[in-house]
Amino acid sequence: MKKKKRHIGRKILFGVEIVVLLLLVGALFVYAQINKKMDKLDMKDDEKQELQVQMNENISGNEVLSGYTNIALFGIDKRATDGGYGNSDTEMIASINNDTKEVRIVSLYRDTYMRVDEDSEGNGIYKKCNAAFNIGGPEKAISMMNTNLDLDIQDYVAVDFSAMSKIVDCLGGLDIPLTYQEIIHTNNYCKGTSEETGTSYDPIPIPDPKPENEAEIYGTYHLNGVQVTSYCRIRQTASMDMGRTERQRRVLGLLAEKAKKSSLTTLLNVLDEVFPMVQTSFSKSELIKLGSSILSYKFGETIGFPASYVMGPEVTKPVTGLDCLIPTTLEVNVRYLHEFLFASEAYEPSDTVKIRSDFVADKTGFGNTSVKEEWQRFVKERTEEVSDDTSGEESDIYTEEDYDGYSDDGSYEVDGE
């Protein structure tokens, strides 16, 4: 390859507004005030902050990928007392088609079982994918995305807990369709979110009588920042983390549309309130270039990754030691990902991806026969075997206790507390 802990009610963070922030930047560059506003971003200077990220061979300079700008988006969990990087509760990939200006978003399910690092002897360490950020910050997390998914991400944007609430309130709130279940869970999360952000809210009125189908949309509600942030945190419905990431992508689209219709005064207020919370590897000049086509950007489809997987502690813990999500297979899912993002209908994953895919399949027993029927078309018979040297993929089985403090219900606790 080329080198190129409190409870969930206290600290769950989101990155769904990040692309919106990038779009807002472009809209404001035509105004003289922009230089002063841009100084609030966490950027050391106007030079690009080169990240030492990894990419698989033949990915750098790939003709198809060169037509896209791919950005890693992180919502990070980092308290002032922490000495490390913190945990990334939200990981997304924003892919911008440089010709059509279409933006597609992929949510990487945080419990996905992948290689996140290697030990001192070069053996692969496999954990839930969001452990990469805690191990080595954005560089390690981007390397995890690049090497497992055959991507060429070089830059990132990250935000902390309060950014979501701030941007929603600055834009005047959002109108969101809610199910009865979502109303209940949003209200439950609002207390902790309000305490953390220092902002108030009114509980969403609970329908009476309770509807027969609690999972159907009951009505559309105007939500403030605390409520929208709480809505994005919900994992307790039947769709679990898949539903949570879908809500986040839905909110991202709503924020983008509202931002485009907002006044200059409103957008300047967003800059004042939210930009101090943004961390990024982009320089000012790069953000100017990225935002220069603001009016032509349009949001396309969004998906969660992986698409084909097995999950549930009864099947994943015996083979990995973790209550996680096992892609079936990584190779199949990478083919689907490249078709979705880059219209690469016949994409052939790199040997690195194939080796890792084989390793996970052999270790867990979930190979091509476990691929969901909908994704069987991505199963390809290999005409040649990939390298048999998989020594670098060996790893110990990590127990739940070894893993970063995340419990099965998604809560986070600091060791010793």
Side-chain angles (χ1 to χ4, degrees), residues 93-339:
I93 300 161
S95 184
I96 305 172
N97 186 310
N98 297 331
D99 292 328
T100 67
K101 306 306 178 185
E102 181 186 38
V103 182
R104 291 197 168 194
I105 304 293
V106 177
S107 295
L108 186 56
Y109 298 138
R110 70 180 193 177
D111 292 343
T112 305
Y113 189 67
M114 289 185 183
R115 174 170 166 157
V116 299
D117 199 7
E118 61 183 38
D119 62 22
S120 59
E121 297 179 355
N123 295 318
I125 297 175
Y126 284 72
K127 288 189 177 185
K128 299 178 183 180
C129 65
N130 73 333
F133 197 98
N134 193 43
I135 293 170
E139 289 186 350
K140 188 66 70 175
I142 293 173
S143 293
M144 176 273 296
M145 292 178 174
N146 283 343
T147 58
N148 285 287
L149 308 178
D150 274 352
L151 296 176
D152 63 350
I153 301 171
Q154 293 292 325
D155 291 293
Y156 78 97
V157 184
V159 294
D160 66 8
F161 181 71
S162 299
M164 165 67 79
S165 182
K166 282 287 186 183
I167 193 171
V168 171
D169 286 339
C170 286
L171 293 176
L174 295 177
D175 295 323
I176 300 180
L178 299 176
T179 66
Y180 178 85
Q181 291 177 335
E182 290 172 335
I183 292 173
I184 298 298
H185 293 307
T186 297
N187 281 341
N188 290 340
Y189 275 115
C190 275
K191 181 179 179 180
T193 304
S194 177
E195 291 175 353
E196 192 63 36
T197 61
T199 52
S200 61
Y201 72 100
D202 292 322
I204 303 171
I206 299 176
D208 187 20
K210 179 190 301 185
E212 185 173 332
N213 188 339
E214 299 181 22
E216 285 186 352
I217 297 297
Y218 183 83
T220 298
Y221 295 81
H222 187 75
L223 306 184
N224 74 354
V226 170
Q227 293 167 325
V228 171
T229 303
S230 300
Y231 166 78
C232 288
R233 295 172 59 182
I234 298 172
R235 294 186 71 191
Q236 289 81 3
T237 61
S239 57
M240 295 179 290
D241 196 41
M242 294 72 193
R244 183 179 70 98
T245 57
E246 183 179 355
R247 293 181 192 96
Q248 293 171 2
R249 298 193 301 273
R250 182 180 301 123
V251 167
L252 175 60
L254 291 172
L255 284 172
E257 290 305 313
K258 192 150 190 179
K260 287 183 178 181
K261 299 175 183 177
S262 296
S263 67
L264 173 61
T265 300
T266 297
L267 296 180
L268 288 173
N269 188 40
V270 171
L271 285 177
D272 281 329
E273 296 292 333
V274 182
F275 269 21
M277 306 174 187
V278 178
Q279 303 171 35
T280 180
S281 60
F282 286 111
S283 67
K284 292 181 183 180
S285 58
E286 286 177 320
L287 283 176
I288 291 173
K289 182 179 179 180
L290 185 63
S292 61
S293 301
I294 172 67
L295 295 180
S296 60
Y297 282 161
K298 57 184 178 182
F299 275 87
E301 297 179 67
T302 68
I303 62 168
F305 182 93
S308 179
Y309 55 85
V310 296
M311 62 181 297
E314 69 281 1
V315 294
T316 63
K317 271 195 171 184
V319 293
T320 68
L322 298 169
D323 179 5
C324 60
L325 187 152
I326 300 173
T328 54
T329 60
L330 180 62
E331 181 178 345
V332 163
N333 280 286
V334 168
R335 284 197 177 96
Y336 168 64
L337 178 70
H338 280 250
E339 179 179 283

